[in-house]
Each structure stands twice: as C-alpha cells, then as structure tokens.
Amino acid sequence: MEETDREAVATAVQRVAGMLQRPDQLDKVEQYRRREARKKASVEARLKAAIQSQLDGVRTGLSQLHNALNDVKDIQRSLIDVNKDWRQSINTIENLKDVKDAVVQHSQLAAAVENLKNIFSVPEIVRETQDLTDQGELLQAHRKLMDLECSRDDLMYEQYRMDSKNTHDMNLIHIYFGDMQKLSEELSKQLWMVVQRSLVTVRRDPTLLVSVVRIIEREEKIDRRMLDRKKQTGFIPPGRPKKWKEKMFNILDRTVTTRIEGTQADTRESDKMWLVRHLEIIRKYVLDDLLVAKNLMVQCFPPHYDIFKKLLSMYHQALSTRMLDLALEDLEANEIVSLLTWVLNTYQSTEMMGNLDLAPEVDVNSLDPLISQNVVDQLLSKYMSTLTSNIIGWLRKALETDKKDWIKETEPEADQDGYYQTTLPAIVFQMFEQNLQVAAQISEDLKTKVLLLCLQQMSSFLTRYKEEAQFYKEEHLKNRQYPQCYVQYMIAVINNCQTFKESIISLKRKYLKNEMEEGLSSSHANMDVILDTIAKEGCSSLLDEVFMDLEPHLNELMTKKWLIGSNAVDTICVTVEDYFNDFARIKKPYKKKMTVEAHRRVVVEYIRAIMLKRISFKNAEERKEGAERMIKEADQFRFLFKKLAAGSGEDTEGLCDIIVAIAEVIKLTDPSLLYLEVSTLVSKYPDIRDDHIAALLTVRGDASRDMKQTIIETLDQGLIKTGVE
C-alpha cells in the first residue's frame, strides 16, 4: 500500500512540475487545483457507480440461485410422488393387455369390413380388369388394379401390425390376391409396348401415350407412399417399389439402341456402299425422331421428366456405341473416310444435330465427341496405312496399263493441241484428286497428310516410270520394227513428263498452304529432275532412231561418191524433216531442246565425217569443189533447222559456221597462208585438237608431213604464249 502511495505522490509531483514550469503559471494555481478537484470527484463517482452495479448483480444472482434451489427441491418431491404412482399402476397396466388386443383386432376387422366388398369380388374385378386391359382401356384397368392392390395392402398391413411374424396368414392373403400380380404384369406389358412405339404412337394417338404416362405417375406416387410407410412401420407390400418410371426410361433406351443398330440393311458383300447407306439412314432416323420428340412427345410428359433431354442423351450414347462398334470393324479406306466424315462433320452439321428446328434445345457445342480422339487417331493411322498401300497398287496398275498401250499398233490419242499423250497422268492425278477431296471432308490436317503422301509416292512412281521408259527403248533396239508405233508412244511419254509437271504444280497450289510449300521445294525439285531426265532420255532415244536411219547417208559424206555428186545431204535433210513432222507432236519445251540437239548432232556427224579422212583432195580444183559443196550443205542444214525451229525463238544458225570455217581452210589456194587460216580457225574454236588439225590438213591433200608438224607445233607454241600472258 505504501508503495502505491509513493508512486501516486511521484506521479503527482511530475504532473505539478509540468503545470508550473514558468513563473506566470503560479497565478493559475487555484485554477489548476479546482480543475484537478473536479477530475478527482468525477473519477470517484464513476468508481462508486461501478462498484454499486457489481453489488446489484451479485445480489440478483444469489436470489436466482436461491429460487433454483427451491425449484429443484419441488421437482425432486414430484418425482418421488410419480415413482410411487407408477409402482402402484403396474398391475393395472397388466390388466389392460386384453383391451389392447381387442383394439388391434377391432382395427383389423374394420379394415376387413371396409374391403369386404373388394375381397369377395376379387375374381370378378380381376376378370373386368383383364377385359379392360385387352380392350386397351388402360386407365380404367389400372384404376381397378389399384383398388385391388389397396385392399390387399391394407389387409397385409393390419396382419403385420397384429403379428409381423405370422407368415402363414400373410401368404394366405398373397395367394388369394395372386391373380392381381398377373394383371399387373399384363398391364405393364401393354404399357411397355406403347413406350417402345412411343415415337409412332405420339403421332397417331397421343392420348394413349398420355394415359401410359399418367399410369406411371400414379405408380410412382404409390411407390413413394409405400416407402414412407416402410420407414415408419417397417412394412412394405410385395412387389413394391415397382419403379415403373425407371423401367420406362430403360425400355426407351433399349428401343433407341435397337433402332440405331437395326438401320444396317446391307453388308459389304452385297453392297460396297453399305456403310454410306447405313450412316445416311441413321442420320435421317435420328433427326426425324428428335424432331418428333421435341414437337410432340414433350407435350405428353410432365416437365420434370425432361423427356427431350433424356432422349437426346440416349440417342447420343447409342450413336457413340454404334460408331465405336463400326470403328472396331475391319474397315476399308473409303469406309474409314465415310465414318470419320459422318462422326466429325455430319453429326454436328445442320443436316443433323445442328438442324435449326432442334435449336435451342440442342447445342452442338455441348455435345461430347461420338468417339474418342484416341479412336479417331487409330482410324486415321489405319486409313493412311491402307491408303499408302492402295496408292502404290493403283500407281503400279496404272503404269502396267499404260505399258500395254505402248505396244499397240494404233497411235496414241492427242490432246486438243494435237500433242500425243496417254491416259496415265490423267488417271494418276484424278486418283490423287479424289483422295484429297475425300480427306478434305474430314480435316485440313488429313488433307495435308494425304497430299504429302501422294507427292511422296509420285516421286517413287516417277523412278519406276523412268526405268520402264528405258526398258521400252532397249526392247525396241532389239527389233526396230517392234513396236510399230514406238516413236509416237515415246513422244507421248515425253509429253506426259510436261503434263506431270503441270499437274504437280496445280495440285500443290490447290491443296497446299503457302507456308508449307517451302518444305516441299526439295522433293518438288527432285521430281522435276526425274521428269526432265525421262524427257531428255526419250528425246535422245528418238534422235538415236533418226541417226540410225541416217547412218548410211552419213557414211557417204566426204567420200569420192559424195564429191562426184551424192545426194546424201538431201536425203539426210528429208529424213530429218520427215521425223520432225512426227516430233511436232512433242510439247514445246522438249521439242525446242530436241531441235537444238538434232542440229548439233548433224553438225557433229558432218565434222566427224571430215575427221575420218575418208577423202584426200588431189588438187586445188577438187578442194574448191569440195569446199563449195560443204558450204552449200551447211546452208541446207541452216535452212532446215531454221524451218524446224520456227516459232521457238531459238537461234541455231551459228552451229553450221564451223562447217563453213573448215571449208574455207580446205578451199584455200595459197599454201603459204595455210598456217594463218588454221590459226584463225583454232582461235575461233579453241576445242579443236591437234589430231583434228592433222586430219583437216590430210583432207586438203597438199600438206606434207613436215608442214603438218610445223603448223601444229607453231600453233601449240602460240597457245602456250597466250596462256602465259
């Protein structure tokens, strides 16, 4: 206590010191004293009020505890009195057991009296109910059936109350009402027949369907009432709950499944289009059924049945099961496409679930996939595998068919521009086009995969095409009289290469996105190389054909016979022109190259004839005559190939200049200028070799061995100096 006083004094000192820090504040001491006195009085008043409140609360609590104690004592005395009264009434309760039994018996007798009429008339009511059922009066039949069941259930309930273990009496009641159970089963069969045919019934006789639904609703209410009584008493009549509503939906579900499965009218053996027909029938049936359900059936069922939504779910599940069953079958490639197109596109399109007449109840975006993505991937993988085998087989068959055409005795067909062709490119790319159009119906991704597959197989096919064209040429060389139209069909093969090129470009432009073309540029270039090789080898084989016919006439060049007036070059020109009348059926890109190559080979063969030294001119007059003949024949070649190259834009006249230049060397009359003339020739045509110069000088016939050696050595030295510089 003393410690508290000291702390209070110290606090007061500090407070006073804080108030009187300046001399002028001493004048306010009395004012400070009164203010502190007021504060003290206020605090003391609050303390007194709080203590008084606590004391009042304690006083009230003590009073309530005292009252509670008195109440407990009163209750204790009352319980003692009740206990005494209970002990005294035990004997009285035992004496009332007979009264209790009488009450129970009275209740049973009252129930029996109430149902007495029904009990005695059970056989008659059963017959009436059966007749009504047979007549289709289902509502009336069910009303009588309910009366019978109510009578039986009340009797059994009273028996249960009296003696729940007395099974003999229970069985006796059950046997007496035994025909009633048969009636219930017969009625239910009638109901389920109507439910099974509900989509037909609702159009012809909607009242009948409404009656069935009303009966089911009655049974549902009775089921609920019996279940509630079971919770209270433990008793439930036999056959309850019937669960007819649940059975109705089960039957609808089985009916939908059977309807979907029963639409397959054909098999692959009887009709190759069996799956397309099957899927189309399913589409039509499902759409019609759902429209009937939406427009008519919903009016026959209570709203809480949500009949349209449940039917939609049933159809979706049945379709999903059916599509999975079909997917697991050994389907062919076209059947896989039909199935996937239907599942991924048709099902949600306006032709089926997306039909405007089904909106807004059917939202295609909320429908689950008919088959899982895993199954879709398996089908696509199988499709690509099967398609690969099919394409390889189709290409092989197409090539074999085309090869048979090559040996025909009739010319190939010509296109609208008169160019020879076979049906191979059209067949191949028509097949590619069909498969791409089919793939596009499924997805863009599959379309791209099929295009890549087609191009890949096309590359392999072109390699085989090249080999077969080479074999065709080799077989022809064994017997040039066979095949009869070898030239025409080789022209068709060459033209096919151009058609293949154009078709590949067209196919890629039509079915391939721009961003993917870069990745295929290398494979495209590879195919172009193969096609150009086939065309080049074909053109070469045709020129070989020409030069084999020209060989006897080429052998006449630069011979004595030629010098005295052979018409070998005339024959050569006529033969070449005749062949090129057929070659006019070659498409321009290849014909242009072929014309240049033919011109080059004619000039080469002519120069080769010179270099073979078949003739050596004896004097200047022969040299002049021979040179002029060479110049004349060079002009013949120029005229011929200018005529053949007309319209191609190719200038090939310069190829014959070498013949004229050689003729000028041969024509030279002054031997002292021979070196100069030869050096001019060499400078103009640097690829002339020493043996060529030696052969040329030999043909002149006036150059000695030393002169030849000197000219060649001098030319070699000049070339060396030029190289050093």
Side-chain angles (χ1 to χ4, degrees), residues 425 429 455 458 462 494-509 524-536 587 589-590 593:
F429 281 92
L455 294 177
M458 184 67 191
L462 291 177
I494 295 169
N495 288 338
N496 284 350
C497 294
Q498 181 65 21
T499 306
F500 276 130
K501 276 187 173 185
E502 294 169 355
S503 299
I504 290 170
I505 293 171
S506 174
L507 204 66
K508 289 174 63 178
R509 185 180 295 119
H524 190 171
N526 182 52
M527 285 189 281
D528 281 350
V529 169
I530 296 174
L531 288 167
D532 286 340
T533 302
I534 296 171
K536 183 178 179 181
K587 291 186 176 180
Y590 299 123
K593 295 177 182 178

Side-chain angles (χ1 to χ4, degrees), residues 626-636 660 663-664 667:
E628 288 177 350
R629 189 173 186 84
M630 290 171 65
I631 293 170
K632 176 188 173 185
E633 290 173 348
D635 288 338
Q636 283 183 266
V660 176
E664 292 297 334
K667 186 179 179 182

Side-chain angles (χ1 to χ4, degrees), residues 567-585:
N567 60 355
V569 170
D570 294 336
T571 306
I572 290 171
C573 290
V574 170
T575 303
V576 169
E577 186 172 7
D578 183 56
Y579 267 102
F580 266 82
N581 285 333
D582 287 337
F583 297 165
R585 301 295 189 98

Side-chain angles (χ1 to χ4, degrees), residues 456-482:
Q456 177 187 353
Q457 293 303 321
M458 184 67 191
S459 181
S460 302
F461 167 75
L462 291 177
T463 301
R464 294 194 299 274
Y465 192 51
K466 175 175 173 290
E467 294 169 354
E468 293 296 340
Q470 181 64 27
F471 181 74
Y472 182 53
K473 171 187 172 183
E474 293 171 358
E475 288 296 306
H476 172 67
L477 291 177
K478 293 177 182 178
N479 179 5
R480 292 189 60 210
Q481 302 303 316
Y482 179 82

Side-chain angles (χ1 to χ4, degrees), residues 447-448 451-452 455 506-520:
K447 181 188 73 174
T448 303
L451 177 59
L452 296 179
L455 294 177
S506 174
L507 204 66
K508 289 174 63 178
R509 185 180 295 119
K510 185 175 180 180
Y511 291 102
L512 195 63
K513 295 180 180 177
N514 294 332
E515 58 267 22
M516 296 191 65
E517 284 198 28
E518 296 181 3
L520 292 174

Side-chain angles (χ1 to χ4, degrees), residues 1 20 34 127 134 136 202 230 242 286 323 355 368 380 471 487 504 608 619:
M1 192 68 181
L20 303 175
R34 287 196 300 272
R127 285 193 300 273
D134 294 340
V202 75
K230 180 183 178 183
K242 290 185 179 181
V286 171
M323 294 306 114
N355 190 287
D368 294 330
L380 289 175
F471 181 74
V487 171
I504 290 170
R608 180 180 288 111
N619 51 49

